[in-house]
Amino acid sequence: MISDVIKSSKKIVIKIGSNTLSNDDGTINEGFLEELCQQIVMLIQEGKQILIVTSGARIAGISSTGKWSRKEDMNYKQALCAIGQVELMVAYGQHFKHYGIHIGQMLLTREDFFDDKRTLNIRNTLFTLVDEGIVPIINENDTVSVEEIKIGDNDTLAALSASLWNADLLILLSDIDGIYNKNPKEYADAALIEKVTDIDEMLKQIEIGQSNSFGTGGIATKIEAARIVNKYGIPMILANGKTSEILTKIASTETKATLFYPEKAN
Ligand code: ADP
């Protein structure tokens, strides 16, 4: 099922979470990034169009400055994002350059998605970049996003971007194989849910636990992201970015994941 969805999708949004992008010590996992870019290039060579939504600016900032990791004040968090965003884009840029592919950075805020003129501009930029073979990379514009106007987590940002771009599929890469009936980090006997067609029904059957220190939204925002895209008939896959060659493996059913498949598309 997941492999069919990937095969039939041309426009794919891939979101990479902070936990996926970072090593346990909080530094950027370069090996992961290299392999991810390689898999994305393979998808592009198969004729697919890819849009990336990436987290990790703050950890990249901590990683490069080596300080402020414990600062909770908003201005320090935003400063770390300002520093780390550059580092992050340089890292992506270098990996894609290896294949002769350019990247384009788009920093967005909540307001951008609810203003007709801005959404039109975003859409035009996205279509132009993708048509020209450039990989757009979206992140929230943290330096201008104060708490009240923030999207706040990149799962929602990815879902809004997928809807705006009329994507065929949204893939969220996290550090777990998918949605479980309870937190797999706390319970060894947690069971993976492979397909969700009714989100409200599923919510009655699962327990939502804590996420770790680098994550922002946790599992709840991933479920809400599925709700946003499924409303527009766009399926969503939640898969484990920590598994090597995950995109290839879910496409060949070698590795399990969770597919949120909108009922009406059944
Ligand atoms: P990311 O940084 O990839 O966005 P988060 O850390 O924010 O990821 O959220 C994923 C985490 O949510 C997992 O590592 C897991 O420990 C936790 N979690 C809590 N409850 C569940 C559940 N029912 N199923 C799967 N994961 C869960």
Side-chain angles (χ1 to χ4, degrees), residues 2 14-22 29 32 35-36 39 171-180 184-185 192 212 219 222 237-251 254-259:
I2 284 187
I14 301 173
K15 180 257 170 177
I16 298 105
S18 302
N19 286 331
T20 314
L21 206 80
S22 56
N29 185 342
F32 163 78
E35 201 189 82
L36 174 82
Q39 289 176 83
I171 301 177
L172 301 185
L173 293 181
S174 187
D175 65 345
I176 24 109
D177 288 346
I179 299 282
Y180 287 76
K185 299 268 179 69
L192 180 71
N212 87 11
I219 213 67
K222 290 167 187 46
I237 295 168
L238 174 60
N240 195 340
K242 295 270 187 199
T243 304
S244 71
E245 303 194 340
I246 184 63
L247 296 174
T248 320
K249 283 185 183 157
I250 52 169
E254 212 177 303
T255 297
K256 288 181 176 165
T258 300
L259 171 66

Side-chain angles (χ1 to χ4, degrees), residues 80-148:
L80 280 171
C81 290
I83 298 162
Q85 182 64 26
V86 183
E87 302 287 331
L88 203 55
M89 288 305 108
V90 167
Y92 274 103
Q94 276 169 350
H95 290 299
F96 277 115
K97 204 173 167 192
H98 187 68
Y99 302 95
I101 292 176
H102 289 284
I103 59 163
Q105 174 184 259
M106 295 176 72
L107 296 176
L108 305 175
T109 61
R110 173 171 283 282
E111 289 171 319
D112 298 330
F113 288 93
F114 299 98
D115 177 294
D116 289 347
K117 214 167 164 188
R118 290 184 187 196
T119 54
L120 181 66
N121 289 336
I122 298 168
R123 214 179 264 127
N124 285 343
T125 310
L126 272 178
F127 278 97
T128 307
L129 288 170
V130 169
D131 285 348
E132 293 296 335
I134 290 149
V135 176
I137 305 186
I138 293 180
N139 196 3
E140 179 147 32
N141 194 352
D142 289 297
T143 48
V144 299
S145 288
V146 289
E147 212 66 71
E148 304 81 62

Side-chain angles (χ1 to χ4, degrees), residues 61-71 80:
I62 294 170
S63 178
S64 74
T65 58
K67 52 186 181 182
W68 305 338
S69 64
R70 287 173 202 282
K71 294 258 191 205
L80 280 171

